[in-house]
């Protein structure tokens, strides 16, 4: 937790999320919208003190602000007064509340769907049929631009066959690139040819939810919002790989809504499916052609740095097709890891392989070295220092124990996973020469995976889940090292040890899946 995020007593709320520049004259939140409280938020002192958000922070409200928030949580609309809209905006920016937009009909003439595809006509057919079905109830035809990214067998004939005799739903055109350039290049090729106000990127193989345009597009009634992404789940199936992906897909960012910010609970969204304002994407230069993986993370972070809002809306659920073979799955995970180094160069400080406090790191290192009592003493020392940062809360010592305890436990989980992700070569070297290191590495491999299995209860035997999870982590970590060596940088391997205990309790693992943007 950062003391700088605690507001002075006379301020209605803290400023916007750190790292996001304030935008003069930011548009008002639509007056007829309602707001819902983030699941992490706890209210104290009759609602005048809030603890929550991601990153975790303390906010103080005036009496009027606390009353206003209470009414919103009870279902009252935001309203039109300046005070209401300013407070709503700041709470939205802080991740304390999330919007519940008024349902809206989006004119399909304002939208172009861009589908990049390369050598996967079957996946393209699935997505086109899904778009046709998902467009039911929408007056007019959706424009769809298929970008054939140098397929060995052009997809134009397939599209013509699918469209033959169809007079409803879609208006499909195909642009072919002579050579494959990757999904980012293909998306940028499509974006350059879009003329509508909105563009929706949908990967080949993704099935869209019915009513997706209205559900996601409703968020764009807020002029501050540049892009909206649904939850992207993995299509169910009987194989071990399919069952594992349902529980551990790198595209699935969970069931909680979020404002997307680097290092937040949802730090990125994949462009496996994304609805955005064309002008906003063009203003930041669109997709970077130099990035084979992580190109959409880079785009999202540039939007955020430009002061635009990106929202994650898990109520809408798209589905993607997982890899069909273990070899393809391994290559995908290595590719995802390889994105960490170029992203670390483009966005310094935003891609740490692990993000915990130095206190937590020291405590767990002492325990792993065979000195658990020393580890407990270090953890206790950090807990003793925390109450002064929590003076705005009732019973600050009790809150310090709760937050520090949760923070240290979560830090141990992330550190354990980091042992097998970016740091597995170092862990392997240590395990070869030290029995104690072997025990620590074994614990790091098994315990975090078992905790995930217990929380998610996937249709996978625990032993099989642990085995695939270890392979998943090692593949990603291999990609991190390969990308770092190619780029000649260690930025993606340098940990961030500046967080206070408690922040990790709400923050998503910072770079666990930073390359996992595309379902291709």
């Amino acid at each position: 937790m950062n003391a700088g995020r605690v507001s002075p007593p006379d301020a209605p709320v803290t400023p916007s999320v750190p790292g996001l520049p304030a935008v003069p004259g930011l548009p008002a939140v639509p007056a007829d919208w309602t707001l819902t409280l983030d699941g992490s938020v706890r209210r104290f002192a009759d609602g005048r003190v809030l603890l929550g958000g991601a990153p975790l922070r303390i906010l103080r409200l005036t009496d009027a602000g606390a009353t206003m928030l209470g009414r919103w949580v009870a279902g009252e609309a935001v309203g039109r007064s300046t005070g209401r809209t300013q407070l709503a905006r700041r709470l939205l920016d802080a991740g304390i509340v999330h919007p519940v937009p008024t349902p809206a009909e989006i004119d399909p003439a304002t939208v172009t769907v861009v589908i990049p595809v390369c050598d996967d006509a079957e996946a393209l057919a699935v997505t086109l049929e899904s778009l046709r079905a998902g467009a039911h109830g929408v007056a007019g035809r959706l424009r769809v631009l298929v970008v054939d990214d140098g397929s060995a067998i052009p997809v134009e004939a397939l599209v013509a066959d699918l469209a033959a005799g169809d007079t409803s739903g879609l208006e499909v055109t195909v642009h072919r690139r002579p050579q494959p350039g990757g999904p980012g290049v293909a998306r940028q090729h499509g974006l350059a040819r879009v003329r509508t106000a909105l563009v929706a990127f949908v990967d080949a193989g993704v099935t869209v939810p019915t009513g997706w345009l209205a559900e996601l597009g409703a968020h764009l009634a807020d002029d501050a919002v540049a892009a909206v992404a649904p939850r992207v789940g993995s299509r169910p199936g009987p194989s071990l790989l399919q069952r594992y992906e349902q529980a551990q897909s790198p595209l699935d960012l969970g069931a909680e809504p979020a404002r997307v910010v680097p290092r937040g609970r949802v730090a990125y969204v994949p462009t496996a499916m994304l609805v955005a304002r064309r002008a906003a994407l063009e203003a930041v230069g669109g997709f970077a052609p130099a990035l084979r993986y992580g190109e959409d993370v880079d785009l999202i972070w540039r939007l955020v740095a430009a002061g635009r809002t990106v929202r994650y809306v898990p109520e809408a659920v798209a589905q993607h097709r997982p890899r069909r073979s273990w070899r393809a799955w391994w290559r995908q995970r290595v590719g995802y890891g390889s994105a960490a180094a170029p992203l670390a160069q483009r966005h310094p400080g935003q891609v740490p392989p692990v993000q915990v406090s130095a206190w937590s790191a020291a405590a767990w290192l002492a325990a792993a070295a065979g000195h658990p009592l020393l580890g407990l003493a270090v953890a206790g020392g950090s807990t003793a220092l925390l109450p002064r940062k929590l003076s705005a809360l009732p019973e600050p010592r009790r809150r310090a124990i709760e937050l520090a305890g949760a923070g240290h436990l979560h830090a141990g989980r992330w550190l354990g996973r980091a042992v097998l992700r970016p740091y597995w070569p170092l862990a392997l070297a240590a395990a070869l020469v030290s029995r104690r290191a072997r025990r620590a590495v074994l614990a790091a491999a098994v315990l975090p995976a078992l905790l995930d299995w217990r929380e998610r209860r996937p249709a996978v035997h625990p032993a099989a889940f642990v085995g695939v999870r270890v392979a998943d982590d090692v593949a990603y970590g291999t990609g991190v090292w390969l990308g770092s060596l190619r780029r000649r940088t260690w930025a993606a391997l340098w940990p961030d040890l500046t967080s206070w205990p408690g922040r990790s309790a709400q923050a998503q693992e910072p770079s666990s899946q930073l390359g996992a943007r595309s379902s291709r």
Side-chain angles (χ1 to χ4, degrees):
M1 183 179 300
N2 187 324
R5 293 181 188 137
V6 181
S7 62
D10 56 345
V13 71
T14 58
S16 299
V17 175
L20 176 61
V23 179
L26 199 64
V29 178
D32 57 348
W33 282 16
T34 56
L35 305 174
T36 182
L37 205 63
D38 184 77
S40 70
V41 175
R42 300 168 66 183
R43 292 187 284 176
F44 302 96
D46 296 324
R48 295 189 302 275
V49 179
L50 309 177
L51 174 67
L56 189 70
R57 70 195 68 208
I58 297 172
L59 305 179
R60 300 186 192 186
L61 303 180
T62 61
D63 290 342
T67 300
M68 200 176 299
L69 177 59
R71 290 177 179 174
W72 288 335
V73 172
E76 186 174 310
V78 169
R80 299 183 183 278
S81 74
T82 301
R84 280 174 168 258
T85 57
Q86 287 182 348
L87 178 60
R89 177 66 66 194
R90 290 181 174 181
L91 292 174
L92 285 167
D93 284 353
I96 297 295
V97 298
H98 304 294
V100 182
T102 304
E105 289 296 329
I106 305 298
D107 183 356
T110 65
V111 184
T112 301
V113 180
V114 174
I115 306 175
V117 62
C118 181
D119 292 322
D120 202 342
E122 180 184 345
L124 175 61
V126 168
T127 298
L128 289 174
E129 187 55 40
S130 167
L131 284 168
R132 184 178 288 116
H136 286 169
V138 177
R141 291 159 64 89
L142 281 174
R143 290 186 180 92
V144 178
L145 173 58
V146 176
V147 180
D148 183 347
D149 191 28
S151 298
I153 301 176
V155 301
E156 191 166 7
L158 167 71
V159 171
D161 289 342
L162 290 173
D166 181 70
T167 58
S168 65
L170 308 181
E171 179 183 319
V172 185
T173 57
V174 179
H175 281 264
R176 177 172 168 81
R177 301 188 68 257
Q179 299 292 331
V185 171
R187 293 190 193 103
Q188 185 64 17
H189 182 92
L191 177 62
R193 286 155 180 79
V194 170
R195 296 295 177 264
T196 52
L198 303 180
V199 56
F201 296 100
V202 182
D203 277 0
V206 169
T207 55
V208 304
T210 300
W212 63 273
L213 184 56
E215 188 164 9
L216 298 177
H219 286 265
L220 295 170
D222 180 355
D223 290 337
V225 176
V228 188
R231 185 177 185 179
V232 181
S234 183
R235 200 167 302 147
S239 72
L240 173 60
L241 177 55
Q242 290 169 319
R243 288 180 284 130
Y244 175 80
E245 284 286 280
Q246 277 196 277
Q248 201 70 28
S249 169
L251 301 178
D252 189 344
L253 303 178
E256 297 296 323
R259 183 173 186 270
V260 182
V261 290
R263 294 177 177 248
R265 183 174 63 226
V266 175
Y268 60 87
V269 286
T271 46
M273 185 171 182
L274 183 80
V275 180
R277 300 182 194 275
R278 175 176 59 87
L281 301 188
E282 292 176 343
V284 297
F287 294 92
L291 296 178
R292 174 60 181 84
Y293 291 95
E295 76 288 341
D296 39 8
V297 179
D298 171 66
L299 173 63
I300 295 300
W301 287 356
R302 282 186 281 118
L303 283 172
V304 172
R308 304 308 301 266
T309 297
V310 179
R311 294 220 166 271
Y312 174 61
V313 182
E315 294 81 9
V317 182
Q319 289 189 326
H320 79 99
R321 184 190 67 189
R323 291 297 186 265
R324 293 183 173 181
S325 71
W326 288 105
R327 176 179 292 183
W329 175 83
W330 174 272
R331 290 177 60 189
Q332 178 196 50
R333 294 307 205 261
V334 172
Y336 288 168
S338 69
L343 286 172
Q345 290 179 320
R346 287 171 171 265
H347 305 275
Q350 303 293 9
V351 195
V354 65
Q355 177 184 337
V356 298
S357 73
W359 291 95
S360 292
W364 284 105
L365 182 61
H371 304 288
L373 294 180
L374 176 59
L376 286 173
V378 172
S382 70
T383 304
L385 294 174
L386 193 54
R388 64 182 182 181
K389 291 180 172 287
L390 306 178
S391 58
L393 301 179
E395 302 180 86
R397 292 184 182 278
R398 175 184 171 186
R399 306 303 169 196
I401 293 172
E402 292 174 354
L403 290 173
H408 287 308
L409 288 175
H410 280 268
R413 193 167 176 173
W414 301 141
L415 286 167
R417 191 153 191 206
V419 167
L420 290 193
R421 285 177 85 79
Y423 301 133
W424 73 260
L426 305 180
L428 177 61
L432 290 175
V433 299
S434 167
R435 180 180 299 176
R436 180 168 290 160
R438 284 195 291 274
R439 290 197 296 264
V441 171
L442 180 63
V446 173
L447 294 180
L450 284 178
L451 287 172
D452 278 354
W453 182 90
R454 181 181 178 186
E455 290 174 358
R456 300 174 188 183
R457 298 289 181 176
V460 180
H461 190 278
F465 184 86
V466 170
V468 179
R469 171 68 172 269
V470 169
D472 193 342
D473 289 344
V474 170
Y476 182 89
T478 300
V480 174
W481 280 88
L482 290 175
S484 297
L485 291 171
R486 290 189 195 114
R487 293 278 180 155
R488 299 182 180 181
T489 176
W490 301 113
L493 292 163
W494 199 254
D496 179 355
L497 304 180
T498 61
S499 301
W500 271 85
R503 178 175 174 181
S504 298
Q506 296 298 332
Q508 184 185 33
E509 186 179 1
S511 64
S512 60
Q513 298 157 353
L514 276 176
R517 298 331 112 200
S518 170
S519 61
R520 283 178 58 183

